[in-house]
Amino acid sequence: MKRKLLLLSAIVPLLLTSCEKEDSYFKQFSVSNIISDTGRVRVVDSIYGTISPFDTQILLQLYSSPSNAITFSQDFDFLIKKYHALFDRYYSYTIDGEKINNVKTINDSYGTNEAIKVDDILFETLKEAIEFTKETNGLFNIASGKLATLWANQITQAKSSDSYSQESYAAGRLIYHDPADDVIQKATTCTPSADIIDEVLVLDSKNKTVTFKSFGGCDGKDNKAELTFGAVGKGRAVDLFIDNYSDYSILINAGQSSVKTNKFKKGQEPWSLEIANPKFNEKMSILFDSYLVGSYFKVNSAEVYFRKGGNFNFSTSGYYNNYYQSYQTGKIRSHIVNPQTGYSETTFDAVSVFTDNSTYGDMYSTALTNTKSIDEAQELLAKLNKKFKQNAVAFYIVKEGEKEIYYVPDSLKDVLQVKDKKKYNLNYDIVSEIRVIGE
């Protein structure tokens, strides 16, 4: 069977479609593509001429009537594009006709000792990400771009290849071969450890410059270290937009692996969201069709949901949208890579975190995903909360036989619920189970 090449966004939490009465005012806005020849933000060097901001669909749901809906929509569209341009490591951009220094500019300067002057937002975000890298001992690493590129390319090849089709259908997972060991080692070598990241990335707070210095065996010729803002840039963009519109009731679904809201819906109604079943999304990488996945593998698309009011950020890291199973070892390889080892960890199917802001959300979930046990993850969570003055809580999805076990802290035990099969008309047996853990 010919497998279609398809870009799959990281679909984890989805807004519940319910029969609850909607507020009197509701509008939804999305971000349009960045184009090379029109708009305030333009891509300079993409051969495609069109870029999807943060490589995903970003939707805003507005439950408060703005003074000017058109202006509101234009501001949302522009600011998300602007921050994508700042945090992109692949392409160069102009904003209002002026070329900007972005993450790509910094990466291109690696090993030259040139001090790159950057926007205040980019500077402060990089500064926070370096501190987070140090505090997690590199389980999150802002300079792991070389590894991120290696595994992203390998997963893309796996999705477009027919080489292991029969094995994939039989196993119920996408199967593909690993890169050569020396290639993985080379990319790992070009990822500076937390111990030396301050020496490699030199920040000048007075002049707002970044100097990306070469180190070790990563000499800057064929081998270059790279920054990657995949786990921080989108969250910072969402935070900055909502800060500008704090008087409105807003929910932003940023690629569906990150959801942020700043208030209750009108009437103190809580927000309702459901968590995609990891087993279902895993199969989507093989069949690409939700109906076929359900009927062929007998698995429900979502079995757990939560209802939560007020302001919160919800971020999830999971392997199952961008992964393959190694043909050589049988282990899962995903886009979430432990920079310490160069490979994915397989302790959790997913880690979800409620944080005070989106900037920290994806960094938290990435670092916790790279731990080897719930105890280690909870210990790191407490350490990060103390350091960064956050009130984050996390829950962990672990595959145990045919079950998906949700290990949930006591503070969330009444927030998350398993759906009733009959009430929600689920077609197949429920495989999800909630277990409470200490905080």
Side-chain angles (χ1 to χ4, degrees), residues 204-268:
D204 182 338
S205 296
K206 180 180 179 180
N207 297 305
K208 295 294 189 293
T209 63
V210 181
T211 305
F212 202 176
K213 296 189 174 183
S214 61
F215 69 98
C218 203
D219 55 24
K221 295 178 181 177
D222 296 327
N223 297 337
K224 289 187 177 183
E226 295 178 10
L227 302 180
T228 174
F229 277 63
V232 59
K234 182 174 61 177
R236 174 49 60 88
V238 168
D239 281 336
L240 290 167
F241 178 80
I242 283 189
D243 287 347
N244 287 345
Y245 288 94
S246 58
D247 292 337
Y248 298 99
S249 181
I250 295 171
L251 184 143
I252 296 181
N253 189 334
Q256 301 188 30
S257 61
S258 180
V259 175
K260 181 179 178 67
T261 183
N262 62 337
K263 294 178 183 293
F264 279 91
K265 296 169 75 172
K266 283 186 177 178
Q268 300 298 297

Side-chain angles (χ1 to χ4, degrees), residues 100-304:
I100 63 167
N101 287 339
N102 64 356
V103 173
K104 181 182 186 299
T105 313
I106 300 172
N107 283 342
D108 289 346
S109 75
Y110 176 81
T112 66
N113 289 323
E114 180 183 359
I116 304 297
K117 186 170 180 60
V118 296
D119 178 273
D120 287 356
I121 295 298
L122 177 52
F123 186 90
E124 292 303 323
T125 306
L126 177 57
K127 184 177 178 180
E128 291 176 18
I130 290 172
E131 285 303 308
F132 207 89
T133 298
K134 291 158 60 178
E135 201 65 23
T136 61
N137 195 30
L139 291 179
F140 165 87
N141 193 321
I142 193 64
S144 60
K146 204 74 173 179
L147 279 169
T149 299
L150 171 66
W151 287 108
N153 289 343
Q154 198 73 6
I155 291 166
T156 297
Q157 292 172 24
K159 289 179 177 180
S160 62
S161 173
D162 288 323
S163 301
Y164 299 92
S165 296
Q166 297 307 314
E167 290 92 335
S168 295
Y169 292 123
R173 282 179 170 172
L174 189 63
I175 292 178
Y176 198 59
H177 66 86
D178 286 338
D181 290 342
D182 64 323
V183 174
I184 299 170
Q185 182 56 46
K186 186 175 181 181
T188 307
T189 300
C190 276
T191 303
S193 68
D195 293 336
I196 66 168
I197 197 160
D198 275 336
E199 303 167 16
V200 176
L201 286 163
V202 180
L203 306 186
D204 182 338
S205 296
K206 180 180 179 180
N207 297 305
K208 295 294 189 293
T209 63
V210 181
T211 305
F212 202 176
K213 296 189 174 183
S214 61
F215 69 98
C218 203
D219 55 24
K221 295 178 181 177
D222 296 327
N223 297 337
K224 289 187 177 183
E226 295 178 10
L227 302 180
T228 174
F229 277 63
V232 59
K234 182 174 61 177
R236 174 49 60 88
V238 168
D239 281 336
L240 290 167
F241 178 80
I242 283 189
D243 287 347
N244 287 345
Y245 288 94
S246 58
D247 292 337
Y248 298 99
S249 181
I250 295 171
L251 184 143
I252 296 181
N253 189 334
Q256 301 188 30
S257 61
S258 180
V259 175
K260 181 179 178 67
T261 183
N262 62 337
K263 294 178 183 293
F264 279 91
K265 296 169 75 172
K266 283 186 177 178
Q268 300 298 297
E269 181 185 344
W271 303 94
S272 297
L273 299 97
E274 64 183 14
I275 317 297
N277 185 352
K279 293 173 73 71
F280 182 89
N281 277 21
E282 179 185 82
K283 314 307 183 194
M284 280 289 288
S285 290
I286 305 170
L287 294 180
F288 306 116
D289 183 286
S290 58
Y291 175 78
L292 289 176
V293 168
S295 60
Y296 186 84
F297 291 107
K298 309 298 182 187
V299 59
N300 299 307
S301 61
E303 299 177 342
V304 175

